[in-house]
Amino acid sequence: MGHDHAHAGTANRRRLAVAIAIIATVLVVELVGAWVSGSLSLLADAGHMLSDLTGLIIALAATIVAARPATDRQTFGYQRAEVFGALINALILVAVAVSVLIEGVSRLVEPADAEVKSLPMLIVAVIGLVANLAALQVLRGGRDTSINMRGAYLEVLGDLLGSIAVIIAAVVIMVTGFAQADAIASLAIAAMIVPRAWSLLRDVVHVLSESAPSDTDVQEIRDHLLGTDGVVAVHDVHVWQITSGQPVFSAHVVVEHEVFADGGTGELLDRLGSCLHDHFDVEHSTFQLEPEEHASHEESHHR
């Protein structure tokens, strides 16, 4: 699994580099388009894209840092850098959503005198849509490999939805002349950003609080270990994540006296480790083997 994770990290860096090039190019196009057309929603989408570009650069830096080997100080390596990268991404999304919301409401309350030119607005939004589809396709393969890549994928997905909102607003203005559709589209973009930022923040907090992975049934793991020959009881079970997709497990395992007497502890450890690796995809596991007489006088047993 360590090799697979390293391979995924290399692939993810390539994906991020390509996506950064696409987004950076379209960002310039959208900024020019917003200036020419006077469109707030296009400017909001450009602001969202700027936050995404920043987030993608942070994500790329995080994958590079995460690839560094473990040290005596960083015993699990630097993989948690991906989580901090995702945290920064989420905070950037929140900041963009708030700023767009304030400007959109202001534009609705006090409509601008400047005319919104729907044709250049539409052309640039279509270019943004095509570019976002391309970037999304590039990032799709890495979205399930880490929380950091998931954050990058969600940001580009939000850009795609933002481009659609701008296209709709441009068509409405072109057909009906209702210029405030531009401000309404900018508010829609802000509304689309918030749930994605919340989802990402929730996942980051889940990892940093060292909660068990959402797809992990701790009781099922305990039952598997108890089904191993020679195991009497399992307690002090802990499951957490270093980063998304990198679960860590530790437990105290009470074993029959004969296991120690016959020198079978090494074989038992191999079986326990294989059980976790094969059934629950846990690469890092630590077991403290205890004879029955030792377990009986421990101060407490924690589940």
Side-chain angles (χ1 to χ4, degrees), residues 26 29-30 122-133 163 167:
V26 179
V29 174
E30 286 205 343
L122 177 61
I123 293 173
V124 173
V126 170
I127 293 173
L129 176 64
V130 173
N132 284 318
L133 283 171
S163 295
I167 290 172

Side-chain angles (χ1 to χ4, degrees), residues 78-261:
Y78 293 83
Q79 295 176 21
R80 189 153 281 186
E82 295 183 343
V83 181
F84 291 117
L87 174 61
I88 295 173
N89 275 358
L91 294 178
I92 290 174
L93 285 172
V94 171
V96 171
V98 171
S99 61
V100 169
L101 178 64
I102 293 173
E103 184 62 27
V105 170
S106 175
R107 184 74 69 92
L108 283 176
V109 173
E110 298 179 6
D113 295 329
E115 177 187 2
V116 177
K117 299 176 182 178
S118 57
L119 182 57
M121 175 182 171
L122 177 61
I123 293 173
V124 173
V126 170
I127 293 173
L129 176 64
V130 173
N132 284 318
L133 283 171
L136 206 64
Q137 187 61 36
V138 170
L139 295 173
R140 184 185 303 275
R143 61 179 173 172
D144 296 325
T145 61
S146 78
I147 190 174
N148 188 43
M149 289 299 297
R150 178 170 175 265
Y153 179 86
L154 288 176
E155 286 185 343
V156 176
L157 177 61
D159 271 340
L160 184 145
L161 296 176
S163 295
I164 293 174
V166 177
I167 290 172
I168 293 173
V171 172
V172 170
I173 295 172
M174 188 178 295
V175 174
T176 68
F178 182 60
Q180 286 183 307
D182 180 51
I184 294 172
S186 70
L187 294 178
I189 292 172
M192 287 186 287
I193 293 174
V194 172
R196 294 184 303 106
W198 169 253
S199 174
L200 195 54
L201 277 173
R202 181 190 59 203
D203 290 346
V204 167
V205 170
H206 195 74
V207 172
L208 293 181
S209 63
E210 298 191 342
S211 301
S214 57
D215 59 349
T216 298
D217 187 334
V218 178
Q219 183 58 51
E220 183 181 359
I221 294 178
R222 186 183 289 110
D223 291 342
H224 263 268
L225 296 179
L226 283 172
T228 305
D229 290 341
V231 174
V232 176
V234 178
H235 63 94
D236 285 301
V237 175
H238 300 285
V239 187
W240 69 101
Q241 297 180 94
I242 299 302
T243 186
S244 178
Q246 289 289 294
V248 181
F249 178 91
S250 69
H252 290 205
V253 180
V254 182
V255 301
E256 297 172 351
H257 177 74
E258 289 76 12
V259 173
F260 287 93

